[in-house]
Amino acid sequence: MQYTASVRRTASALVVVATAAALMTGCTPSGEAGAAGEPSQSVQSPTPGTAAGGSGSGGTGQAKPSTPVSPAASGGKAKPCTIDDVKVTEARQAAVRPPGTGTGAAIVAVTNVSKSACTLQGFPTVAGAGNGSPGKNVPLATTHSGSAATVSLAPAARAWTKLTFVNVQGEADGYCESGATPASFPTLVVGVPGAGAHQTALDDGVLALCDNKATVTAYSATKPS
């Protein structure tokens, strides 16, 4: 009886051990279930435009260069003014002029009437306008006063020049000190370097002068007196 009981206890112990081993083996098949307790590994997403394994569509893995910006888009230099860009918008007798009864001196302004900036540089040409015919214009011999510099005109900005004449003396029709006959013109033709000739009338009277000549200043952003 004791031998049989001992055998039964031994057999029962073996069953318990076998069962426990089976349970432990079932919990970790191939060791995968036990991985839940191990630290996880992060997976990085591929860079946009590249395959998961490496470079992009071109095989280089480098970003495409940006499109070059043209000089016009980046604010290049303004172009020279043309005849369509400017217009004579003022012509009047100057406050400071030689003594006499003629015009003496005139201030002329040209305005940028375009929608973009432009530049001009130089001295004006001057002529007395003929009656209805450019062929009858009387060019004045001009003497330059001072030096010329580039003037940049934004839209609606002005450039100025001063024209000083040999003034008429005396009363009534007056006389010229040179002995020449005074000339009178209802309008002037003023040239702008590179931007054509523009006809204009004085705001306050007609042009009266002697000897068909004038001293002129270069176009400037500063209004002369």
Side-chain angles (χ1 to χ4, degrees):
M1 294 290 293
Q2 293 178 354
Y3 174 78
T4 302
S6 177
V7 171
R8 288 177 178 176
R9 286 195 297 271
T10 299
S12 298
L14 291 174
V15 170
V16 170
V17 171
T19 302
L23 289 174
M24 292 177 65
T25 302
C27 289
T28 57
S30 303
E32 294 176 359
E38 298 177 0
S40 60
Q41 296 180 352
S42 61
V43 179
Q44 296 182 350
S45 301
T47 303
T50 64
S55 63
S57 58
T60 62
Q62 298 178 352
K64 294 182 179 180
S66 58
T67 303
V69 179
S70 66
S74 60
K77 293 182 179 179
K79 64 180 181 64
C81 299
T82 68
I83 191 170
D84 295 324
D85 294 327
V86 296
K87 179 180 179 181
V88 173
T89 53
E90 182 178 346
R92 64 174 59 251
Q93 292 192 60
V96 178
R97 58 184 186 268
T101 55
T103 304
I107 303 295
V108 176
V110 295
T111 301
N112 180 0
V113 294
S114 72
K115 294 182 180 180
S116 59
C118 66
T119 62
L120 59 85
Q121 179 179 358
F123 296 84
T125 57
V126 188
N131 292 326
S133 173
K136 294 181 179 180
N137 291 350
V138 179
L140 304 188
T142 57
T143 299
H144 295 172
S145 175
S147 58
T150 300
V151 181
S152 182
L153 294 179
R158 290 183 171 188
W160 306 83
T161 183
K162 183 175 182 178
L163 319 175
T164 302
F165 309 105
V166 179
N167 211 354
V168 179
Q169 305 298 317
E171 301 297 331
D173 292 336
Y175 66 94
C176 295
E177 291 182 341
S178 65
T181 301
S184 178
F185 304 98
T187 58
L188 282 175
V189 178
V190 181
V192 182
H198 305 261
Q199 186 169 345
T200 184
L202 291 176
D203 293 345
D204 43 3
V206 298
L207 177 65
L209 53 84
C210 289
D211 304 339
N212 292 339
K213 60 184 181 180
T215 299
V216 299
T217 64
Y219 284 101
S220 170
T222 302
K223 182 179 181 179
S225 56

